[in-house]
Amino acid sequence: MKSNILCVGCSHSHTGWGKSWPDFLSTSLNKNLIRASSPGAGNSFFIEKINHAIQHNDIDLVVVQLTEPSRVVTGFSFYENKNYPDFYNDPNKINDLACYTWNVCDNEKNFRSMLNKNTSIDHIWIPNVSLSKWTAYKVMQDIALIQYICFKFNIPVVFWSWFVPMEELFLPMYDWVKENIKYVPGCGQNWLNQNKVPCIPNDGHYNTEAHNSLVKNWLLPEIEKLI
């Protein structure tokens, strides 16, 4: 029987734009795929998905694609999104836990859609919270907690980043995190740009062919070094 790999990430791990890196990575490693994608969500939302998935599935490897650090996750009293019926691929809810991810744009638009009321928050939130030093520290805390959960259940975990090179995420006070995790240097976005792989016009996401190339020529060889 094939073993299972849990692949976690943001919209770049989702299938809304075709097959994505989890499809090609799982096939290349000859593992069954358990996908936990969270389009638009921040790294903190991945934690409970990982915690639930490894306690309810027989998983042999976890691969976490970190997203934009400025995405700040907070609890939300109620959120229902019928566009994501898959349990592990809803960007806002896992079990009885509902969350909202604050981004560096469109929060007022999102709340108007969800709550049917106008809000005025982006002019305060974006410069003072989303772009604050706290978000950089929160990435370190999220990585440390994910690492501990996987360690607790004796499951190896590999981290890699889509938007920001991993080397730029590590903070001086968190050298101990860098020394105790397995991670892929660099980031996916830089590799795609350097190799002139185009994104979908007017979208920012990538199609099936681009993800296949990303895995075959960069992500898979780097992960194989670590496992």
Side-chain angles (χ1 to χ4, degrees):
M1 294 179 62
K2 289 184 179 181
S3 57
N4 297 319
I5 181 174
L6 172 63
C7 293
V8 186
C10 63
S11 59
H12 293 288
S13 305
H14 192 59
T15 57
W17 298 265
K19 289 185 177 180
S20 58
W21 66 267
D23 299 283
F24 298 109
L25 184 62
S26 60
T27 299
S28 298
L29 294 175
N30 194 32
K31 294 180 180 292
N32 292 317
L33 172 62
I34 299 175
R35 185 196 314 269
S37 61
S38 304
N43 295 312
S44 298
F45 190 59
F46 303 164
I47 295 171
E48 197 56 37
K49 287 190 175 185
I50 294 169
N51 184 45
H52 186 281
I54 65 177
Q55 293 191 58
H56 291 82
N57 300 275
D58 186 14
I59 295 170
D60 295 286
L61 176 65
V62 177
V63 179
V64 180
Q65 171 252 302
L66 300 171
T67 190
E68 169 58 49
S70 62
R71 293 178 176 177
V72 179
V73 180
T74 60
F76 201 64
S77 59
F78 174 79
Y79 195 101
E80 183 177 7
N81 192 331
K82 297 181 180 179
N83 293 325
Y84 297 94
D86 188 336
F87 184 77
Y88 285 124
N89 293 280
D90 190 314
N92 306 296
K93 192 173 183 180
I94 177 75
N95 269 345
D96 60 347
L97 177 65
C99 295
Y100 175 75
T101 296
W102 299 76
N103 280 278
V104 291
C105 63
D106 293 336
N107 293 297
E108 293 170 358
K109 177 182 177 182
N110 293 339
F111 278 112
R112 185 163 59 248
S113 174
M114 291 186 297
L115 304 176
N116 195 29
K117 62 175 64 174
N118 292 324
T119 61
S120 178
I121 189 64
D122 280 348
H123 67 292
I124 297 175
W125 181 270
I126 294 171
N128 295 297
V129 182
S130 287
L131 301 179
S132 70
K133 189 68 174 181
W134 169 253
T135 60
Y137 277 78
K138 192 65 175 70
V139 174
M140 291 292 93
Q141 296 165 6
D142 291 343
I143 291 175
L145 182 51
I146 292 171
Q147 175 68 40
Y148 180 77
I149 293 171
C150 293
F151 169 79
K152 174 66 177 178
F153 291 94
N154 196 30
I155 301 172
V157 55
V158 176
F159 297 89
W160 68 283
S161 175
W162 188 274
F163 295 102
V164 180
M166 286 294 299
E167 299 84 347
E168 295 180 16
L169 293 176
F170 295 114
L171 301 175
M173 288 291 291
Y174 282 86
D175 286 339
W176 58 271
V177 171
K178 182 178 181 179
E179 295 167 357
N180 287 278
I181 68 170
K182 295 180 178 180
Y183 68 92
V184 176
C187 69
Q189 188 67 71
N190 280 0
W191 187 91
L192 291 162
N193 291 340
Q194 291 165 3
N195 289 274
K196 297 181 171 56
V197 179
C199 65
I200 298 172
N202 303 314
D203 187 287
H205 291 90
Y206 290 82
N207 62 21
T208 298
E209 183 179 351
H211 278 269
N212 186 22
S213 180
L214 178 77
V215 171
K216 179 181 178 181
N217 297 299
W218 178 64
L219 188 60
L220 176 62
E222 292 293 333
I223 289 180
E224 286 181 327
K225 295 177 187 177
L226 300 170
I227 63 174

